[in-house]
Amino acid sequence: MTDTAQRTLARGGMTPDVAHSAPSDVLTPADRYQELFVAVQTQRIFPDSKTFVDCVPSLAPEEVLRRYRESAQVPGFDLSRFVATYFTLERTPPSHYVSAPGQALVPHIDGLWDVLTREPEAHPSCSSLLPLPRAYVVPGGRFHELYYWDSYFTMLGLASSGRHDLLVSMADNFSFLIDTYGHIPNGNRTYYLSRSQPPMYGLMVELFESHGVDRALRYLPHLRREYEYWMDGEASLAPGDARRHVVRMPDGACLNRYWDERDTPREEGYLEDVNTALHAPHRPAGEVYRDLRAGAASGWDFSSRWLDDVNDLSSIRTTAIVPVDLNSFLYASERQLACLAQAAGDSQAAHAFAARALARRDAMTRYLWSDEVGAFLDYDWQRGQRRTCLSAAAATPLFVGLASPAQAQRTADTLRDHLIAAGGLRTTQASSLQQWDPPNGWAPLQWIAIHGLRKYGEQALAGDIAHRWLSTVSALYVRESKLVEKYSLHTSDAMCASGGGGGEYPLQDGFGWTNGVVRRLLGDHPEHDAHQATAQGRTPGN
């Protein structure tokens, strides 16, 4: 983090842009509450580790810690009572995620945007929430904050719903985060500042311009600054070395990996991470923690993509892997930077960014493309070999226009043969206890595949995935009157769809990116039976 960002954080994230919002604590919950934090998390005062880090102190945080240290020495001290006295749960607005009987999907989703919108004026003081200048849309459920890559898919739906007011607000918020912290954090929480998420800002900028929010050129300085964050340390790397997000390949090419600045347990998953590291006594705990954090930065937390053993989360090696999707998104950023620099009259920068995009595409073809599998695969840079796990991330080079026509056709065939289920596109081929593995399907991965396949003329397969996904979502909506975070893709019948499972927390309702992708797909497919689906009504097609 830059010196400017550190100074801003020392003021609770306050700048003139956010004077209407309450300051956050200047430290993360673990740094602030120290042994109190460890006691609360390890003694499971709350069943979900995220609950405490989102709590609001009733006094100044320094005073709460002082009173804890004084009280904890008294015989009969009751930690649960202390926490109940000095912390309040973050106020959660009424959900209204469940639709009224008879309501169709489009009005249900359009009505949810206000339910999922949060106002900075409502931020509590001295919590872990980072101030933002404008209103923002949260995913829903346990997630009360803005998330980076989720928001791109949410924005697709906001645009389809005509909510340009919220598109403008989100554009301002992400630009503010880059200006203030030098990057877009995983979410607007102090405990998320040590990492980012898949770099979707360039794609957001395209969306802003195409829907009249503002000219893309306005965001060029922010896009450059975010790119510098992802490429920091590149110049000093020798072949075979890595620093932060950058990996220098043996032939001198630079590709990227996910990374987190900290090597401690995730604060929102503290006890889970401690227990995971205990299952890997042969590895330094800090190494496991950093790989877990980097897995969270990927957005795929967690998946067999990052594991040596699909049945053992402690075998996670995220920082050793050069991912297909991350490098595809950065290719898109480089192309966007080249285009905007040219529009700004800076031909030298335009040529430099275009050359970077070309170099990345060539390096991905050398290291990540598998002619045997017919798809781009993640690459293990420490072991010098491609990973064997085929995943839906293979569609991302199509989504950003990186793949050659021949690669796109091969990828389409591979996805059709290996990842299509009755209910949509599977995440990977390896069933595990992790939520980013079968049988789960996720809205963002459906959209990336559908949009990417369309770009290369694979209309039939794109339409097939869209049909399967809309059938899955609408079938569950008819039965349960809501949309959820992820779906279980049954292999026999999409009409038997259910919410997904696995992972560290229960299935969440809401849900931002599902709403966004489904709303966009409903607009793209006005003929689909999902338009006739109604809450507690009839199943489409029956």
Side-chain angles (χ1 to χ4, degrees), residues 260-382:
D260 189 299
E261 293 301 318
R262 295 191 176 217
D263 63 354
T264 55
R266 290 170 301 146
E267 298 187 24
E268 75 283 7
Y270 183 87
L271 188 57
E272 293 85 349
D273 287 3
V274 169
N275 288 334
T276 296
L278 290 174
H279 284 86
H282 57 288
R283 298 181 66 189
E287 181 181 287
V288 177
Y289 298 147
R290 192 179 316 264
D291 280 320
L292 289 165
R293 283 174 168 269
S298 77
W300 291 52
D301 44 337
F302 295 105
S303 169
S304 58
R305 282 183 72 188
W306 317 125
L307 309 183
D308 276 353
D309 179 349
V310 299
N311 298 310
D312 182 5
L313 183 56
S314 71
S315 70
I316 190 167
R317 297 178 59 249
T318 318
T319 58
I321 296 169
V322 173
V324 173
D325 42 5
L326 171 59
N327 285 280
S328 297
F329 293 137
L330 286 169
Y331 169 84
S333 294
E334 289 160 344
R335 291 286 302 271
Q336 177 82 322
L337 281 162
C339 179
L340 295 180
Q342 190 65 51
D346 190 345
S347 297
Q348 183 177 358
H351 290 142
F353 282 118
R356 281 177 166 272
L358 179 61
R360 186 181 298 274
R361 186 189 69 187
D362 291 346
M364 288 182 66
T365 297
R366 290 195 303 276
Y367 288 102
L368 278 65
W369 173 256
S370 171
D371 203 51
E372 179 183 357
V373 175
F376 286 90
L377 303 176
D378 299 327
Y379 188 85
D380 188 323
W381 68 271
Q382 290 182 350

Side-chain angles (χ1 to χ4, degrees), residues 476 480 482-487 499-500 507-511 514:
L476 187 67
E480 300 187 12
K482 63 185 180 181
L483 280 74
V484 296
E485 178 188 22
K486 55 185 180 280
Y487 291 78
L507 180 67
Q508 302 296 299
D509 298 340
F511 192 85
T514 304

